[in-house]
Amino acid sequence: MTARRPRRSGGTLRVLVGIVSLFALSLQIAGAAPSAADVDTDAGGARCEEMTELSVPDTEITAGELVPAGDFVDAEGTVHRDLPEFCRVAARVAPSLNFEVWMPTATWNERFLGVGNGGFAGNIRYDSMAPALAKGYATASTDTGHSKSDSANSWISNPAQLEMWGRTSIHLMTLRAKQILTAYHEKAPKFSYFEGGSTGGRQAMGQAEFFPDDYDGIVSHSPGMDYSHVMMAVLWTAQRLADRPKGALDSDDRKLLNDAVLAACGGRDGVASDPFLNDPRDCHYNVKRLECRPGTSTGCLTAEQVRTAEHVYTAVTNQGSGEHLYPGFAYGSEAAWNFAAERQELVSYPQALFGRAVFDDPEWDWRSFDWDEDVALVEEKLSPKIDPTRADLSKFDERGGKLIMTQGWSDPFQSGSLPIEYYTRVLLERDGSTVRSALRDVQEFYRLFMIPGGGHVTGGMGPNSFDALSAVRAWVEQGIAPKQMVATKYQDDRQENRVVMTRPLCPYPQIAGYDGAGPTTEASSFRRENDWGDFAKDVAREKQRMQARERSN
């Protein structure tokens, strides 16, 4: 759609919106933001169209249009049903960052929600903006500074575009979107939130670490925060299969392995009927039990396939120093190991990212990656630019921010235990505290929820539908820290279908324990339990890794 022509001169509008913006921002700083009753429900068309005349630093506003209530077709052709009337503003931050802001006219809840991206991004996430708008949020999304139509990923070779994708795009989008929102509604948002998964989870952690003042509450799902090492994990298995293709595990092989793991470990939490593990850390299955005996070729795995499975479970390791680089995949996640099949589709990511950003060679051969010297190159030239993995979140804590992180144990793209490693490092790096007291302090602003059977951001065999945004909002606005979140498993993961089961998700290091009496399909039959045994092991392992890193430095 094209924007209508503005009705007021640009100079007059710039003066007016500048005064309005400063006034609204001063109200926010003073804690005197107007109430919802003061919202101008007639903000409407004229002011929306005139947003193209708004003066925003280093930003060109390319469209401002009032979208009527009802169905809306986005720029990619997707239809979003039953949206409220909203003002759509499209803008571009120099040199290449495109973003959109959608602002409800009469239904604004006085809150702003930034939404994250996936993979290499390159597109605005209308599919995340539409449900946010329907709930009353003003919302924004960005393409992170490049277009997904660049199939060669040449943008990675551009330092400015790599920096935008790796660190600054969400911050720039957020600052500009809030300026536009404040000018349009003549007041700043009372609260600002961010929610994203995968790359969006990495973006979320980048906000908490590098730009702690941008958001009051952050939700990070399946955070690809250690992105450089996630790419190494892809190569870890891909290289093995390239050398030993007979070790590939097709869907039937993975199901055989998954069934064996569930049969051996599934009843340890009291719910043997679950098609997932409640806590994979308690499973220690020996894959060699599935190895084919002489004369047997069905219902078993070959010796090469057994070694592939063992390789996937094993942590990615620097072959020179022995340093732990990235955790292995959890027991119970085997059915999701598409990366262990013969076709190596995921290698396009490290091939492009490492080839262009580390080796300056778009034709770089991923099979040549060296597990000592090349690891050092990646950690020198790329990791600092794209990996928000520092464990010091004190600035976000001090400004009153709240953070919820979620992670599925059966994630098919990244290890389920990485967030636990990061969380325990956050505890261990807090000064002057015992681990238990550090845990109490950290849980005042940051809580991690592990999802039994959960997939990547969503999906998986376990209950995977829950509302973390409402939980973080209650934490920020009412001081109600989330003691649990109830997750639902719908048939075929479609909310219009019947409920298969519900289950409480508990903040680490708690887990959900079955009470032994009620229906195993209902959350009310489970209680929160402190898992101090596994917690102590997690902390001890992270201490060892931190000490090893200090010695190597």
Side-chain angles (χ1 to χ4, degrees):
M1 299 181 183
T2 57
R4 300 178 182 89
R5 295 182 61 84
R7 299 172 184 166
R8 186 182 296 154
S9 70
T12 303
L13 180 65
R14 277 192 286 271
V15 172
L16 288 173
V17 297
I19 293 172
V20 166
S21 299
L22 289 173
F23 176 67
L25 287 171
S26 68
L27 287 174
Q28 183 190 44
I29 293 170
S35 67
D38 297 324
V39 174
D40 179 9
T41 58
D42 297 321
R47 189 157 67 248
C48 183
E49 294 169 9
E50 292 169 352
M51 287 293 102
T52 57
E53 299 297 316
L54 181 65
S55 179
V56 180
D58 301 318
T59 302
E60 176 191 8
I61 299 180
T62 58
E65 63 170 337
L66 186 69
V67 179
D71 296 345
F72 173 68
V73 182
D74 67 32
E76 296 179 345
T78 301
V79 179
H80 304 280
R81 304 291 184 187
D82 300 322
L83 295 183
E85 181 184 79
F86 68 99
C87 175
R88 171 186 168 266
V89 172
R92 181 181 182 89
V93 179
S96 61
L97 182 78
N98 295 290
F99 69 95
E100 289 194 18
V101 191
W102 292 4
M103 301 170 288
T105 56
T107 59
W108 186 37
N109 62 15
E110 299 190 69
R111 285 145 183 87
F112 171 71
L113 177 64
V115 297
N117 301 86
F120 280 159
N123 64 311
I124 292 171
R125 293 301 301 266
Y126 301 112
D127 58 335
S128 297
M129 296 177 72
L133 183 80
K135 294 177 181 177
Y137 291 93
T139 183
S141 175
T142 173
D143 64 4
T144 72
H146 65 274
S147 172
K148 65 179 181 180
S149 63
D150 178 8
S151 59
N153 293 306
S154 60
W155 61 270
I156 297 174
S157 298
N158 183 313
Q161 289 180 303
L162 180 62
E163 181 184 31
M164 280 185 171
W165 175 80
R167 180 170 296 194
T168 61
S169 59
I170 299 300
H171 175 61
L172 292 170
M173 174 201 79
T174 301
L175 293 182
R176 305 303 190 261
K178 285 185 180 180
Q179 287 177 292
I180 293 168
L181 174 59
T182 298
Y184 179 71
H185 271 298
E186 303 181 358
K187 64 174 71 175
K190 285 185 176 180
F191 300 98
S192 296
Y193 299 96
F194 183 84
E195 183 172 28
S198 192
T199 286
R202 175 180 61 80
Q203 293 168 335
M205 295 309 296
Q207 288 300 116
E209 181 178 327
F210 302 120
F211 307 104
D213 293 328
D214 283 359
Y215 290 98
D216 303 296
I218 292 174
V219 178
S220 174
H221 300 292
S222 303
M225 55 193 296
D226 198 3
Y227 209 93
S228 296
H229 292 100
V230 172
M231 297 296 96
M232 291 185 196
V234 172
L235 295 181
W236 181 249
T237 300
Q239 279 192 350
R240 189 185 194 285
L241 293 181
D243 293 338
R244 301 173 179 83
K246 291 184 179 180
L249 299 165
D250 64 22
S251 58
D252 290 339
D253 299 322
R254 299 194 300 273
K255 184 179 186 306
L256 175 69
L257 177 57
N258 184 241
D259 287 347
V261 169
L262 294 180
C265 302
R268 295 184 181 180
D269 55 11
V271 188
S273 60
D274 281 345
F276 55 86
L277 298 182
N278 190 46
D279 187 353
R281 295 171 298 174
D282 296 332
C283 184
H284 306 285
Y285 181 72
N286 185 352
V287 188
K288 285 187 172 62
R289 293 169 58 184
L290 279 180
E291 188 169 332
C292 295
R293 297 178 179 179
T296 305
S297 60
T298 59
C300 58
L301 301 178
T302 67
E304 283 291 354
Q305 290 176 318
V306 167
R307 293 189 186 98
T308 295
E310 292 174 333
H311 188 80
V312 174
Y313 291 131
T314 302
V316 180
T317 306
N318 184 314
Q319 299 298 289
S321 66
E323 180 185 359
H324 171 97
L325 300 174
Y326 193 80
F329 282 73
Y331 288 104
S333 65
E334 299 81 11
W337 292 357
N338 295 330
F339 57 85
E342 186 174 355
R343 296 183 63 186
Q344 301 302 306
E345 297 177 354
L346 289 179
V347 297
S348 62
Y349 283 87
Q351 194 279 328
L353 191 58
F354 291 174
R356 289 184 176 275
V358 178
F359 301 104
D360 196 25
D361 178 9
E363 303 302 321
W364 172 75
D365 184 357
W366 56 268
R367 298 169 186 82
S368 69
F369 188 80
D370 181 84
W371 291 96
D372 184 5
E373 294 181 0
D374 289 349
V375 168
L377 281 176
V378 171
E379 293 180 340
E380 174 190 351
K381 300 177 69 173
L382 182 62
S383 295
K385 299 177 182 177
I386 69 170
D387 295 339
T389 53
R390 292 188 308 184
D392 183 4
L393 299 176
S394 57
K395 291 184 178 179
F396 184 69
D397 178 19
E398 290 166 2
R399 60 92 64 197
K402 306 299 182 186
L403 169 64
I404 289 177
M405 181 184 287
T406 72
Q407 175 64 56
W409 272 119
S410 296
D411 192 318
F413 298 118
Q414 58 195 49
S415 170
S417 59
L418 175 71
I420 289 179
E421 290 188 4
Y422 177 76
Y423 198 86
T424 52
R425 192 160 72 250
V426 171
L427 302 180
L428 291 170
E429 291 192 4
R430 285 183 80 87
D431 294 332
S433 300
T434 65
V435 173
R436 288 288 186 93
S437 62
L439 177 62
R440 288 192 295 271
D441 291 344
V442 170
Q443 287 194 329
E444 289 296 315
F445 80 97
Y446 171 24
R447 297 196 175 193
L448 166 64
F449 291 81
M450 300 301 296
I451 309 167
H456 186 65
V457 184
T458 186
M461 296 301 294
N464 50 48
S465 179
F466 53 92
D467 189 356
L469 180 59
S470 291
V472 82
R473 181 171 162 179
W475 199 2
V476 167
E477 299 180 24
Q478 303 173 49
I480 303 174
K483 295 181 179 180
Q484 68 176 36
M485 295 188 293
V486 175
T488 302
K489 176 68 175 180
Y490 295 96
Q491 184 179 23
D492 300 324
D493 290 332
R494 298 177 64 88
Q495 292 191 11
E496 64 269 24
N497 292 347
R498 70 178 182 88
V499 173
V500 176
M501 69 167 68
T502 58
R503 191 69 56 88
L505 306 179
C506 305
Y508 175 84
Q510 291 184 332
I511 61 172
Y514 178 51
D515 67 8
T520 59
T521 57
E522 296 182 10
S524 58
S525 302
F526 293 79
R527 59 185 180 276
R528 291 181 288 116
E529 298 176 348
N530 288 311
D531 188 2
W532 296 123
D534 281 324
F535 176 67
K537 294 176 184 176
D538 294 337
V539 170
R541 280 191 290 266
E542 192 56 37
K543 277 185 178 179
Q544 292 175 352
R545 287 189 284 265
M546 292 172 66
Q547 291 167 355
R549 284 192 292 268
E550 290 175 0
R551 287 193 297 269
S552 65
N553 294 332

